[in-house]
Amino acid sequence: MFKTARMRKIRIVTLDEYISPTVSALHEQGLVQINEISDGIQQDPELAELVTPSKASAFTGKLSSLLMKTNNISELLGNSLSEGHGIKDTIKSFISPEMPVPKEVEDLDTEAFINKAENILAQVESETKVIEGKFSALDSETSVLNSNKSLAKSLHALDMDLALLKDSKFTSTTVGRINAESASEIESNLSKLTDELDVFIVPNDDKATAIIVVVTLKEFGEDVYSTLRKFDFERLEVNNVEGNPQQVISNADSRLATIESERNSAKTDLRAIAERWDDDILALKEELENEKEKNEILAAFVQTKDTYMLEAWVPVKDTEKVEQLVEKSTDGHCTFELIEIEGTDDENVPILQTNKGYVKPYEFLVDMYSPVRYNAVDPTVFVAIMFPFLFGYCLTDAFYGTLVAIIGVILVRGMGKIKESMNAFGHILIACGLWSVILGLITNGLLGDFPERILGYRLPTVIPIIESFVHPEVILLIALGIGVVYTNIGFIMGTINDLRYGQIKDAIGSKICWFFLEGGIIFLAAGMLIPTFGMIGMAIGAVLILACLGMLIYANGLYGVMDVFGFMGDILSYARLLALCLATGGIAMTVNILTQLCADIIPYIGIVVAVFIFIFGHIANFLFQILGAFINSLRLHYVEFFSQFFEAGKNKFEAFKSSRTFTKLKN
């Protein structure tokens, strides 16, 4: 519970004819994390003479190509099925997602599987390519029509066939938009170029711009354009457009409507194809990913002429299973070498946490900080106990807590079925919500003071001595007490870690010393407050405090004494629990007061305004406070708690394991 899974390395050697079934068996069971060993082997001269680095299978490139093609088809079919889904469908898919039904697939060798994949893709593409071609043609035509419409709108002032504006064999026609104020000057400049040109200027409706058409001989076309560019001239290209502007717009709109109808018909056809093939394509995509992973992993091995050797991390409890699995896959043609982790040389060992049940989801919060170091204390149990409690302490509102728990249930029953992270987060929210309800009921927090202020009813569950707004000093003392106890737990775990890794000086100067300080404070207080202890208690207290200071100086030098303020800061940081508790209730109370005032003072519409303030005020407070509760509960763990002991590891255990969401192997 407080340690990660014990790990060991295993080296497996087998004949090349058995490597494929061995890799497949390991992949399906997901018991090992395979290491890249070629570099390490090359550093051993004796082994380097015997083996060479292996390479990925020759089928890897083909599998990658097929996977890319499958991804494109899957995206096309998926988009077709999801098109037209509104907010209602999105919410439904979040609350109650449709669970895929795994499709039974055969365990084929790579070459046979590639043939199967090519056949499936050929069948699907024979149906989708026609529709994709139609979409492409319709998109291209739509683009041309929209361009023609835009041109016609720009030239709407010209009541003429736009086809006449195209260049001819001997003439060049330049068309564009100019600033109306520059028209005379432009016309004057153009007239200086040649007598062989005609200029037509037609004002636009906005009066600020005008359309200019310049017709001249081919040889003067570039000169005309160069002259116009000196002014604020926007050229309009007229190509393959016939009819006057109004006719062009009308014809384009008519054709665009027809295109939309044709597109909808094509979408219907594509959706029918998607409904037939989507499950098969998703299953094929998953199979391709698995097969590609199996073929790529060979590059992590080394080989001789007839054998392969692989190295993997395996949990100690699964070692026998792995050996039996490999022996079965190789018909006994294999050998094993087990390598134990010695001493504290464990920095690179992958981490596999072993928490179960209620505690398991809280690994998600620990991993957000860092993986736990192998052999160090795993704090997930403490996080599972304290995080929801601290969250509830910050929120302390039964109604808000109920909403948080409901959100958690929705996550677990919805997206939690598909995503492990959502499932974990949902369970965390349920626990947080329940603690908020419990602490809200006993501290008189339910939508602030709603029961008493609005309903005139006092909650029977309230414990008077810890009612938040009556005895905030009690809430503060409890928060500081929690801080002392939780920080001391951190010191104990930190001491265990330091002693395990031989860091005795650190254990004395950053953990053990604080127990002497706390004991000294207790004896001093007892000597001052209890006559029986008197001078003896104060003397013992003084000795313990001096011992603490001595430890700090011994471990950290003279400036180590300053760490006392850091220790006090860690404890006082738990005072934020009081601040957030009062903030939740205080803002909720303010919303209730404003609600009551609006209902009593504002005539006629006062009740409407009051309801609006009540609903949206509490929604805003709820969102703000749950965010604050979550962040500050995390902070108390990451900064105040973990800093006392946490040993960070480098990586998590990543099992070499097949993905089986849309597929399952036939028995």
Side-chain angles (χ1 to χ4, degrees), residues 631-651:
I631 289 174
N632 282 281
S633 299
L634 274 184
R635 185 221 147 82
L636 288 173
H637 281 87
Y638 291 172
V639 179
E640 277 74 28
F641 185 55
F642 282 7
S643 63
Q644 313 304 337
F645 67 91
F646 197 92
E647 294 281 345
K650 285 189 175 180
N651 48 68

Side-chain angles (χ1 to χ4, degrees), residues 134 138 255-267:
K134 188 169 185 178
L138 292 175
R255 179 56 187 153
L256 285 170
T258 304
I259 287 175
E260 189 60 29
S261 176
E262 292 177 10
R263 193 190 303 277
N264 288 335
S265 177
K267 286 180 180 178

Side-chain angles (χ1 to χ4, degrees), residues 47-352:
L47 278 176
E49 290 181 5
L50 300 174
V51 298
T52 58
S54 179
K55 296 180 180 179
S57 161
F59 296 111
T60 303
K62 183 63 176 178
L63 290 167
S64 297
S65 176
L66 290 172
L67 181 57
M68 186 179 300
K69 187 181 292 187
T70 305
N71 281 331
N72 291 336
I73 293 175
S74 179
E75 185 177 357
L76 176 68
L77 301 184
N79 289 340
S80 175
L81 291 173
S82 63
E83 188 173 0
H85 286 188
I87 296 177
K88 182 179 178 182
D89 295 311
T90 303
I91 294 173
K92 182 180 178 182
S93 67
F94 184 82
I95 294 175
S96 181
E98 187 176 341
M99 298 299 294
V101 178
K103 181 181 178 181
E104 283 194 343
V105 295
E106 294 181 286
D107 187 11
L108 303 172
D109 63 65
T110 304
E111 194 167 1
F113 171 70
I114 287 176
N115 290 332
K116 168 191 167 183
E118 288 177 331
N119 289 334
I120 293 174
L121 292 175
Q123 292 179 61
V124 180
E125 285 184 318
S126 67
E127 299 184 43
T128 59
K129 273 194 172 180
V130 175
I131 296 178
E132 286 185 280
K134 188 169 185 178
F135 280 137
S136 179
L138 292 175
D139 288 343
S140 178
E141 188 178 357
T142 298
S143 177
V144 171
L145 289 170
N146 284 327
S147 177
N148 290 346
K149 273 183 66 178
S150 177
L151 176 65
K153 288 178 180 179
S154 298
L155 300 176
H156 74 281
L158 298 179
D159 187 14
M160 62 181 293
D161 187 348
L162 299 182
L164 299 174
L165 299 178
K166 292 184 289 186
D167 291 346
S168 69
K169 183 177 180 181
F170 301 105
T171 62
S172 171
T173 304
T174 305
V175 185
R177 188 184 290 111
I178 61 171
N179 191 319
E181 294 180 355
S182 305
S184 298
E185 187 179 357
I186 291 172
E187 195 168 5
S188 174
N189 277 266
L190 289 172
S191 65
K192 296 176 183 178
L193 295 176
T194 178
D195 292 334
E196 304 294 333
L197 88 164
D198 287 316
V199 180
F200 304 93
I201 298 177
V202 182
N204 274 325
D205 294 339
D206 60 6
K207 306 299 182 183
T209 62
I211 297 299
I212 185 170
V213 180
V214 183
V215 183
T216 186
L217 294 176
K218 281 273 189 184
E219 59 191 276
F220 298 111
E222 285 301 318
D223 294 333
V224 168
Y225 183 54
S226 297
T227 301
L228 289 171
R229 285 184 62 187
K230 296 176 183 178
F231 300 89
D232 190 12
F233 173 71
E234 178 188 351
R235 187 167 189 169
L236 300 173
E237 298 290 345
V238 181
N239 297 308
N240 303 320
V241 182
E242 296 183 355
N244 64 42
Q246 190 57 45
Q247 289 173 332
V248 172
I249 293 171
S250 177
N251 292 338
D253 285 339
S254 176
R255 179 56 187 153
L256 285 170
T258 304
I259 287 175
E260 189 60 29
S261 176
E262 292 177 10
R263 193 190 303 277
N264 288 335
S265 177
K267 286 180 180 178
T268 301
D269 294 340
L270 180 60
R271 186 176 182 87
I273 295 171
E275 288 172 349
R276 286 200 308 274
W277 285 106
D278 188 55
D279 290 342
D280 291 327
I281 290 298
L282 288 173
L284 179 61
K285 178 183 173 183
E286 186 172 84
E287 282 190 279
L288 281 165
E289 289 170 345
N290 288 335
E291 197 67 30
K292 180 172 175 282
E293 188 174 23
K294 288 192 294 182
N295 280 265
E296 286 177 334
I297 201 64
L298 296 179
F301 303 169
V302 291
Q303 65 181 125
T304 65
K305 181 181 177 182
D306 299 313
T307 65
Y308 278 87
M309 181 171 76
L310 65 95
E311 182 179 276
W313 287 106
V314 57
V316 170
K317 64 182 179 61
D318 293 330
T319 304
E320 188 175 345
K321 290 181 185 177
V322 171
E323 291 179 345
Q324 291 174 354
L325 187 69
V326 174
E327 285 181 352
K328 181 179 179 181
S329 302
T330 62
D331 292 333
H333 296 83
C334 60
T335 60
F336 303 97
E337 179 187 3
L338 298 178
I339 305 170
E340 302 295 339
I341 308 302
E342 298 180 359
T344 58
D345 185 22
D346 54 20
E347 190 176 0
N348 294 312
V349 179
I351 310 306
L352 178 62

Side-chain angles (χ1 to χ4, degrees), residues 526-539:
M528 293 177 181
L529 299 175
I530 304 174
T532 308
F533 281 90
M535 292 299 296
I536 296 175
M538 288 190 285

